[in-house]
Amino acid sequence: MSDPAEKSHEVANPEMPLVHAVNVMKSFHDNQVLKGIDMDVHKGQVICLLGPSGSGKTTFLRCINQLETIDGGRIWVDGELMGYKDRDGTLYRLDNKAIAAQRREIGMVFQRFNLFPHKTTLENIMEAPMQVKGEKKAQARERANALLARVGLLDKPYAYPSQLSGGQQQRVAIARAMAMSPKLMLFDEPTSALDPELVGEVLAVMRELAKEGTTMIVVTHEMSFAREVADRVVFMDGGVVVEQGDPKSVIDNPQHPRTKSFLHRIEAKPQAVEHVPESLEEAILAEQRLQELPEEHYLQGDE
C-alpha cells in the first residue's frame, strides 16, 4: 500500500464469501493495471475471468495470493485479510513468513507448468507438503500417489517432466497444487501453452475438481469450459469489471459493447475443444481417436 497506516473501513466477518475483494488497485510504474476490482467468490464456486490480454486478469489472481502487492483496496480469503494485519483499524504489512503461511492455503496453476525438471512426478508432488508442512515422507508419498491416480497418471510416478506431454505435465502441476489441500485454486490460462489435442485432458481434470466442490478462479479463453463449468463469468477490460453474470447470459447474450467485441473475436478463432469432456477417460479416448486419424485429415485442414 502507498500508506501502511491507511485506515481500514471494512472488517472481515464469518459470513464473508471465501474470497472477498473490495476496490483492489494495482499499478506497475505509471500503468494502472487494476482500477478498483470488487469480487466475491463463495465456497464451491467456479468463476471464469475472461478478457483481452492486458485487462488485469492474471494480475488480479497474483494479488489474491500475494505474488503481487496491491496498492489499494482489500482482499480477504476465508475471512483472513491477505498481506496485512488490522490493528485497531490501521493496516500493517505482514512479514514474508506470515505471507508465505497465507499463500500455502491457495493453490495456483500457471500457464507454464513450472515443474522441477530434475525431480520425478512423485517427487514434484511430495516436495511442498514435506518442505512446507513438514509431512513425513511416507505420508507425502501416499498422498502423492493418490493425487497421481486422481489426475490419471498413476502409471508415471517415476517419469521426469521431459518424458511427459504438455497435458501430462499440467496434470502433474494440478496434482502438486492440490497436495497442499488448498482452500482455493487459481488457474492462470492453464491450457494456453498446450497443443490443441491435449487441452481436453486438462479441462477434464478441472471439471472433475469442480464437481468435487473445489473453489476455483480460472483465467481462460476456453469458452466451452466457461460456458459448461463456470457458475459465474466475469469479463474484464482495462483493469475494470465490465460485465458479469451466469455464463449463458454473458457469453450468449452480452450487453456491453466491449464484451460483444471480445467474444466476437474469440468465436472467430477455432476452439481447442467444443465440449469439455465429462471425465479424464473420455478426454484421453478422444485424443487417441485423433492420433489414429490418417495424415490426410490434417493435410485437408491446411488447404
Side-chain angles (χ1 to χ4, degrees):
M1 299 281 181
S2 57
D3 180 2
E6 182 181 350
K7 294 290 183 180
S8 173
H9 299 293
E10 188 160 349
V11 180
N13 65 69
E15 296 181 357
M16 275 189 173
L18 184 68
V19 179
H20 182 51
V22 178
N23 198 32
V24 175
M25 300 184 188
K26 176 64 183 178
S27 296
F28 295 102
H29 304 292
D30 295 330
N31 181 25
Q32 190 173 6
V33 179
L34 299 178
K35 302 174 182 178
I37 301 295
D38 296 330
M39 193 177 300
D40 284 350
V41 182
H42 292 270
K43 289 183 180 180
Q45 278 193 324
V46 177
I47 307 299
C48 281
L49 304 185
L50 309 180
S53 297
S55 59
K57 309 180 302 295
T58 293
T59 299
F60 181 63
L61 285 194
R62 293 174 63 86
C63 286
I64 292 174
N65 73 348
Q66 296 295 298
L67 290 176
E68 300 289 352
T69 303
I70 62 177
D71 300 323
R74 310 284 186 273
I75 301 174
W76 288 269
V77 175
D78 202 19
E80 186 173 3
L81 183 62
M82 299 300 291
Y84 292 86
K85 182 71 174 177
D86 187 334
R87 296 176 184 166
D88 299 324
T90 301
L91 294 183
Y92 296 89
R93 183 71 177 164
L94 296 177
D95 60 29
N96 291 337
K97 184 176 180 180
I99 290 174
Q102 289 185 331
R103 193 178 291 145
R104 74 180 61 158
E105 302 289 336
I106 302 172
M108 188 160 183
V109 177
F110 301 87
Q111 296 179 32
R112 298 289 175 176
F113 326 118
N114 294 349
L115 299 176
F116 296 115
H118 60 290
K119 292 183 180 292
T120 65
T121 58
L122 200 64
E123 291 168 340
N124 264 282
I125 298 170
M126 293 169 60
E127 179 77 7
M130 290 174 59
Q131 297 299 323
V132 179
K133 285 189 168 182
E135 282 189 9
K136 299 293 186 182
K137 187 173 184 179
Q139 180 184 358
R141 180 183 295 274
E142 181 180 359
R143 177 154 172 75
N145 275 313
L147 286 165
L148 280 175
R150 192 172 176 184
V151 299
L153 292 171
L154 189 56
D155 61 334
K156 297 187 180 295
Y158 304 115
Y160 288 90
S162 61
Q163 299 170 315
L164 302 174
S165 71
Q168 290 171 332
Q169 289 185 61
Q170 194 63 297
R171 284 191 271 154
V172 174
I174 293 172
R176 180 180 62 180
M178 294 299 294
M180 294 293 286
S181 302
K183 299 174 180 177
L184 171 68
M185 285 288 290
L186 308 176
F187 293 85
D188 182 18
E189 297 198 35
T191 61
S192 64
L194 300 179
D195 292 334
E197 65 270 18
L198 301 178
V199 168
E201 66 186 63
V202 174
L203 295 183
V205 170
M206 293 170 62
R207 181 170 209 154
E208 290 180 350
L209 291 178
K211 288 178 182 177
E212 294 165 5
T214 306
T215 309
M216 302 158 61
I217 305 178
V218 184
V219 173
T220 185
H221 286 166
E222 297 295 340
M223 290 299 106
S224 59
F225 184 87
R227 182 181 280 107
E228 297 173 27
V229 182
D231 296 295
R232 192 167 86 253
V233 166
V234 178
F235 175 69
M236 294 177 60
D237 193 14
V240 301
V241 173
V242 175
E243 187 170 349
Q244 62 178 309
D246 68 84
K248 286 187 177 180
S249 65
V250 174
I251 297 173
D252 297 334
N253 188 30
Q255 301 301 304
H256 198 283
R258 280 194 279 178
T259 315
K260 292 178 181 179
S261 175
F262 170 78
L263 292 173
H264 178 73
R265 293 196 305 272
I266 290 293
E267 289 166 359
K269 301 176 182 178
Q271 291 282 295
V273 293
E274 295 182 1
H275 163 69
V276 180
E278 293 290 340
S279 67
L280 182 57
E281 291 75 14
E282 179 185 328
I284 292 173
L285 284 173
E287 285 177 22
Q288 292 173 347
R289 285 195 294 269
L290 279 175
Q291 293 170 358
E292 292 168 0
L293 288 173
E295 185 178 355
E296 289 79 3
H297 172 83
Y298 299 98
L299 293 176
Q300 290 171 2
D302 293 333
E303 291 177 356

